[in-house]
Amino acid sequence: MQIGFIGLGNMGSGMAANLVKAGHRVHAFDLAAPALEQARASGCETFTTARETVAGAQVVITMLPNGAIVRSVYAEDVIGHAPQGALLIDCSTIDVASAKAVAQEAGARGHAMVDAPVSGGIAAAREGTLTFMAGGEAAAFAQAEPILQAMGKAVIHAGESGAGQAAKICNNMLLGASMIATCEAFKLAERLGLDLQTFYDISSRASGQCWSMTSYCPVPGVGPVTPADRDYQGGFATALMLKDLKLAMAAAGDVGAHVPMGERAEALYEAFAGQGNGGFDFSSIIRSL
Ligand code: NAD
């Protein structure tokens, strides 16, 4: 299948490479020259404009930083430029309103579209073990599913257009709050004189157990190897967690949902990112406690 892929950053580069490995012909575009070079090295054919990239494509995939960029790339270079009937898949994490608006515009021009944000970080993108949560009509999802499977370990239909983004921000609101709570528990345990490995051994098998503890422990040398063991380098950046919490708070505001823990998590991540920590893994917020 010929796939046009736009946005070859930390996530998109690995995803495009996995599509090549699965036997697809990948035409790729990014604004950054080093990203194009890396894409060529992994077997993609690169182009100098997004429009050329989507010409002749049966499927277009985007992995871009935010909703404003997604809206403009689709409006200017994808819709009306990709072949009639091409399937459009946006894997970026963006606001629900932008996801719905772009899908509606695409639908009006004869394109099926799926919003399919991902869970799993850069390593999962590289290894092809992402979890995709997809929003769109059942027929569009059925078309997208085998393509997404080449890049992930799980592909789940969340509901209608925008539902993938809704699931993503609810999940990440939970993750942000649970990470802070996990950090607090370790810091309190320390103050109370507990050995942190012993506390991990207890809590990881007791009712406080959660992913932030057993898969992503924020304490160096405790639990599995995580960004904490690499001085919080790599992983999922604090700035991206803050972006997702802001999307969640905006969505909660739109529908009048009361999310006090989410609000608190956003405020704490905002303060932490504002102190120059945006580039560190989000578990590094333990340093602020
Ligand atoms: P990134 O900044 O590394 O990559 C984005 C790429 O898009 C860059 O290479 C940039 O040059 C390119 N780009 C920007 N504007 C463009 C345009 N108009 N045309 C073509 N290319 C353009 O970001 P990332 O970490 O790869 O994240 C991409 C998306 O995935 C974001 O929405 C992010 O929230 C989401 N996400 C990231 C992670 C993670 O761990 N990094 C995890 C899950 C989801």
Side-chain angles (χ1 to χ4, degrees):
M1 195 166 282
Q2 185 175 319
I3 299 176
F5 201 112
I6 303 172
L8 307 159
N10 287 324
M11 298 293 289
S13 55
M15 293 163 68
N18 283 321
L19 291 170
V20 171
K21 276 187 210 152
H24 296 295
R25 209 160 69 246
V26 180
H27 288 190
F29 175 68
D30 193 287
L31 295 176
L36 293 175
E37 205 172 300
Q38 193 183 351
R40 282 194 292 276
S42 58
C44 300
E45 194 178 332
T46 61
F47 292 82
T48 49
T49 66
R51 286 188 193 181
E52 288 173 278
T53 308
V54 304
Q58 290 148 292
V59 178
V60 174
I61 300 179
T62 46
M63 193 54 166
L64 294 162
N66 60 49
I69 294 175
V70 168
R71 278 181 190 253
S72 94
V73 166
Y74 276 90
E76 287 163 31
D77 296 317
V78 178
I79 297 170
H81 299 280
Q84 190 70 34
L87 172 69
L88 312 181
I89 307 175
D90 178 38
C91 295
S92 327
T93 301
I94 65 170
D95 57 292
V96 176
S98 291
K100 285 183 177 171
V102 174
Q104 198 169 14
E105 182 64 22
R109 301 288 291 270
H111 294 290
M113 181 156 188
V114 170
D115 52 288
V118 305
S119 178
I122 299 162
R126 201 170 41 231
E127 288 155 18
T129 55
L130 292 166
T131 293
F132 289 87
M133 42 211 101
E137 290 184 1
F141 176 74
Q143 258 186 293
E145 194 176 15
I147 294 152
L148 298 176
Q149 259 158 0
M151 302 181 281
K153 67 171 183 327
V155 182
I156 299 157
H157 191 199
E160 289 300 302
S161 178
Q165 297 297 350
K168 168 74 184 173
I169 58 176
C170 290
N171 179 73
N172 279 26
M173 182 178 79
L174 176 57
L175 174 62
S178 76
M179 178 54 80
I180 295 169
T182 301
C183 292
E184 280 183 4
F186 274 110
K187 293 306 277 186
L188 178 59
E190 189 175 46
R191 284 287 182 97
L192 295 173
L194 287 171
D195 172 69
L196 293 188
Q197 181 63 51
T198 305
F199 173 63
Y200 176 89
D201 293 341
I202 294 166
S203 198
S204 63
R205 279 174 280 183
S207 49
Q209 187 276 336
C210 65
W211 188 90
S212 293
M213 174 176 283
T214 50
S215 295
Y216 217 89
C217 187
V219 181
V222 175
V225 175
T226 65
D229 299 302
R230 300 189 294 271
D231 199 26
Y232 304 98
Q233 302 291 330
F236 182 49
T238 291
L240 287 178
M241 172 50 84
L242 179 59
K243 170 194 159 183
D244 292 356
L245 287 168
K246 284 184 178 300
L247 290 174
M249 292 311 101
D254 287 346
V255 296
H258 182 50
V259 286
M261 295 289 281
E263 279 172 11
R264 194 76 192 109
E266 186 209 14
L268 290 169
Y269 271 109
E270 176 113 63
F272 186 59
Q275 289 154 6
N277 297 305
F280 290 109
D281 181 75
F282 79 115
S283 64
S284 65
I285 198 161
I286 195 167
R287 287 170 163 170
S288 71
L289 298 170

